[in-house]
Amino acid sequence: MRLAAVLLFLATISAICHTDGYIEQVTQQIHLLRPRSGAAGYRLKDVDCLSWRLAVETNNVRNWKLVPEECEQYVGHYMLGKQYRKDCEIVAHSAIEYAKSLTLVGDGKDIWIFDIDETTLSNLPYYARSDVQFGALPYNDTKFNEWVAEGAAPPVPGSLRLYQTLLPLGFKIVFLTGTAERFKDIRISNLKAAGYYTWEQLILKGEADQGTSALVYKSKKRTELVDSGYRILGNLGDQWSDILGDNSGNRTFKVPDPMYYIS
Amino acid sequence: MRLAAVLLFLATISAICHTDGYIEQVTQQIHLLRPRSGAAGYRLKDVDCLSWRLAVETNNVRNWKLVPEECEQYVGHYMLGKQYRKDCEIVAHSAIEYAKSLTLVGDGKDIWIFDIDETTLSNLPYYARSDVQFGALPYNDTKFNEWVAEGAAPPVPGSLRLYQTLLPLGFKIVFLTGTAERFKDIRISNLKAAGYYTWEQLILKGEADQGTSALVYKSKKRTELVDSGYRILGNLGDQWSDILGDNSGNRTFKVPDPMYYIS
């Protein structure tokens, strides 16, 4: 089938028509989805989508920009279906088992770090939109920010249960997010509406850190926490840049996310 | 169903009857499959085996001792079927893409580290045996060593292709394994028979390191390599203890392995 025919076919069945390829220009954004920087785009002929997802989740495939063309529908079905929920639940289960196995010092310095997007709050209602297509269409800063400003994101499956288990065990909660400071109020109301009603700190990305990668920014903030006497016992994130780097925590947990990559 | 009935049923359909539970005693072995040390056993009610496998591969579930009862058949089918091969191939593909993107110094100090078991050589012919059952039965040191002594392990899918690509690019190969020194000769002949015909170093676990975990032992050996002037550009392993720790390498790659866990 020629390219035009393929595209027409795709447009017909799903109203998706992604032809942009990769945008070269690097723009630092509050929520840098599929950064345009880094290594060459990742495209495999006849990719097996389950294998691709495993490779993403294990950090074997890095700096990828878009879900492979062949896997756009797969990712949509995965995210809306049972498997994503089950995959999230087993992460929460593992984290809860670990948390319960610990004996806390109990001086208010035992903390658990949560990333926010796709870890604590789910942007799935946004990603499932026909003009977003689970991130198969290029990231649109304006649209995404409008969605964030609605403050309507629901909790990620399992994560609220983990949060609710951690509090009575004595953990203090720290939210560490790449969201810009200017969204602070709406994020607070969104977190509370989703069931996350208390925390020790909510760390958003200030102006000074706008040029840095998530890995560097989050490492720096965690180091500041450790220098303040906090002990990072657990750390939950959907991106490897949430859970790698300095002072990543005694145990880290990777929440699934095959929709975008943040370095 | 009562426990006895469940066990009878399992014995009937598959001649597997694993009732040992967890053995508490820690024994350091050349190839420590499912160590009996560490945190409590990991058992989930109604576990989704694909979710469990993802949790294992992402290092969310750690220190597990046996494949969950419900997933024994799943793991067998996975390992013998197409998905395992596809999952391995995409790892090799990613590693090759990365290796080709590099410009080597070319002074003979650019190295790629390979673990051996389930990374370079596959023990699948052993694990598929009815008296091993993909590791669903407790690890048997004597039997496994007899298998290693045969020197008949085939290459892991994709890994030989990666190896064959790395050599002409100028990489020096280092095999770093938990196998004991006394198996050196047979491992050499097995590697050669499987197609790995040359290397810079083959590092086996000496007497002095027998008491240490894989993570500590491999970190130490990698640090020695770096201190000798080598640059670890890539590192391929089936266990997270192969690719975490000190001097883990510029890029690490995780080969799938849902059969056993080594800390």
Side-chain angles (χ1 to χ4, degrees):
Chain A
M1 224 177 341
R2 290 177 53 210
L3 182 62
V6 172
L7 291 174
L8 182 62
F9 175 69
L10 286 175
T12 307
I13 58 164
S14 66
I16 310 170
C17 182
H18 170 60
T19 58
D20 300 45
Y22 303 131
I23 297 163
E24 293 300 321
Q25 209 163 12
V26 178
T27 51
Q28 287 292 342
Q29 297 154 330
I30 59 155
H31 193 75
L32 187 54
L33 304 181
R34 298 198 180 86
R36 278 73 175 140
S37 58
Y42 186 83
R43 294 268 158 171
L44 252 189
K45 297 284 176 204
D46 302 319
V47 66
D48 179 276
C49 298
L50 177 54
S51 290
W52 176 80
R53 180 162 68 80
L54 181 69
V56 163
E57 295 299 341
T58 51
N59 208 20
N60 284 334
V61 173
R62 302 183 191 181
N63 294 307
W64 53 278
K65 288 142 187 171
L66 292 170
V67 172
E69 257 177 76
E70 311 90 301
C71 299
E72 290 173 7
Q73 293 214 4
Y74 170 89
V75 169
H77 287 298
Y78 169 72
M79 290 303 297
L80 294 176
K82 284 182 186 169
Q83 198 63 45
Y84 169 65
R85 281 147 191 77
K86 286 180 181 172
D87 290 351
C88 288
E89 287 294 345
I90 202 170
V91 179
H93 179 92
S94 309
I96 287 170
E97 291 280 295
Y98 161 71
K100 285 184 173 172
S101 77
L102 298 177
T103 306
L104 302 193
V105 176
D107 58 354
K109 296 292 188 179
D110 304 302
I111 61 172
W112 193 289
I113 296 181
F114 286 81
D115 167 58
I116 293 186
D117 291 286
E118 267 54 73
T119 299
T120 303
L121 297 178
S122 172
N123 298 305
L124 195 49
Y126 172 78
Y127 274 88
R129 277 167 38 175
S130 60
D131 59 341
V132 182
Q133 293 286 356
F134 303 100
L137 300 177
Y139 173 66
N140 184 314
D141 200 32
T142 310
K143 280 185 186 175
F144 183 75
N145 288 345
E146 283 169 7
W147 155 254
V148 171
E150 288 179 32
V156 167
S159 296
L160 184 59
R161 188 161 63 84
L162 169 61
Y163 170 88
Q164 289 165 339
T165 307
L166 292 174
L167 284 177
L169 289 174
F171 287 88
K172 300 295 178 183
I173 306 298
V174 173
F175 292 111
L176 175 53
T177 175
T179 307
E181 273 285 340
R182 65 193 164 100
F183 290 100
K184 187 173 183 179
D185 290 347
I186 192 70
R187 289 254 109 166
I188 288 174
S189 69
N190 198 156
L191 283 168
K192 292 192 171 175
Y196 305 94
Y197 59 91
T198 185
W199 50 82
E200 181 78 2
Q201 287 192 35
L202 165 60
I203 304 172
L204 297 102
K205 202 169 185 177
E207 280 300 323
D209 290 311
Q210 284 303 326
T212 53
S213 70
L215 187 82
V216 172
Y217 155 68
K218 295 199 169 184
S219 290
K220 181 183 149 193
K221 292 299 172 185
R222 286 194 304 264
T223 299
E224 289 173 12
L225 288 166
V226 169
D227 289 348
S228 308
Y230 288 108
R231 292 175 295 277
I232 304 172
L233 300 178
N235 182 5
L236 186 80
D238 69 301
Q239 299 289 324
W240 282 96
S241 54
D242 295 329
I243 56 177
L244 291 177
D246 301 333
N247 295 298
S248 57
N250 286 21
R251 270 289 295 265
T252 62
F253 295 89
K254 171 73 177 71
V255 179
D257 183 357
M259 300 191 298
Y260 57 85
Y261 179 91
I262 298 177
S263 59
Chain B
M1 228 180 331
R2 292 176 51 207
L3 181 62
V6 172
L7 291 175
L8 182 63
F9 175 69
L10 286 175
T12 307
I13 59 164
S14 65
I16 309 171
C17 183
H18 169 59
T19 57
D20 300 46
Y22 302 130
I23 299 163
E24 295 300 320
Q25 210 166 10
V26 178
T27 48
Q28 288 292 343
Q29 297 154 329
I30 59 154
H31 193 72
L32 187 54
L33 302 181
R34 296 198 181 89
R36 278 77 175 134
S37 59
Y42 186 83
R43 293 269 159 170
L44 253 188
K45 297 282 176 202
D46 302 321
V47 67
D48 180 276
C49 297
L50 178 53
S51 290
W52 176 80
R53 180 162 69 82
L54 181 68
V56 163
E57 294 301 340
T58 52
N59 207 20
N60 285 334
V61 174
R62 301 183 191 180
N63 293 308
W64 52 279
K65 289 145 188 169
L66 292 170
V67 171
E69 258 177 75
E70 313 89 303
C71 300
E72 291 174 7
Q73 294 214 5
Y74 170 88
V75 169
H77 286 299
Y78 169 72
M79 291 302 297
L80 293 178
K82 283 183 185 168
Q83 198 63 46
Y84 169 66
R85 280 147 190 80
K86 286 180 180 173
D87 289 351
C88 288
E89 287 294 344
I90 203 170
V91 179
H93 180 91
S94 308
I96 288 170
E97 289 282 294
Y98 162 71
K100 285 184 173 172
S101 77
L102 298 177
T103 307
L104 302 193
V105 176
D107 58 354
K109 296 292 188 179
D110 305 301
I111 61 171
W112 193 290
I113 295 180
F114 286 81
D115 165 59
I116 294 185
D117 291 285
E118 267 55 72
T119 300
T120 303
L121 296 179
S122 173
N123 297 304
L124 195 49
Y126 173 78
Y127 275 88
R129 276 166 38 174
S130 60
D131 59 341
V132 183
Q133 293 285 357
F134 303 100
L137 300 177
Y139 173 67
N140 184 314
D141 200 32
T142 309
K143 280 186 186 175
F144 184 74
N145 288 344
E146 282 169 8
W147 155 255
V148 170
E150 288 179 33
V156 167
S159 295
L160 184 60
R161 187 162 62 87
L162 169 61
Y163 170 88
Q164 288 166 339
T165 307
L166 292 174
L167 284 176
L169 289 173
F171 288 87
K172 299 295 178 183
I173 306 298
V174 173
F175 292 110
L176 174 53
T177 175
T179 306
E181 275 284 340
R182 63 192 164 103
F183 290 100
K184 187 172 182 178
D185 290 347
I186 192 70
R187 289 254 109 165
I188 288 174
S189 69
N190 197 157
L191 283 168
K192 291 191 171 175
Y196 305 96
Y197 59 92
T198 185
W199 49 81
E200 181 77 1
Q201 287 191 34
L202 166 61
I203 304 172
L204 298 101
K205 202 168 186 177
E207 280 299 322
D209 290 311
Q210 283 304 325
T212 53
S213 70
L215 188 81
V216 171
Y217 155 68
K218 294 198 168 183
S219 290
K220 179 183 150 194
K221 292 298 172 185
R222 286 193 305 263
T223 299
E224 289 173 11
L225 289 166
V226 169
D227 290 346
S228 308
Y230 288 109
R231 292 174 296 277
I232 304 172
L233 300 178
N235 182 5
L236 186 81
D238 69 302
Q239 299 289 324
W240 282 96
S241 54
D242 295 329
I243 57 177
L244 292 176
D246 302 333
N247 295 300
S248 56
N250 285 20
R251 271 289 296 267
T252 61
F253 296 88
K254 170 73 176 74
V255 178
D257 184 356
M259 300 190 299
Y260 57 85
Y261 180 90
I262 299 178
S263 59

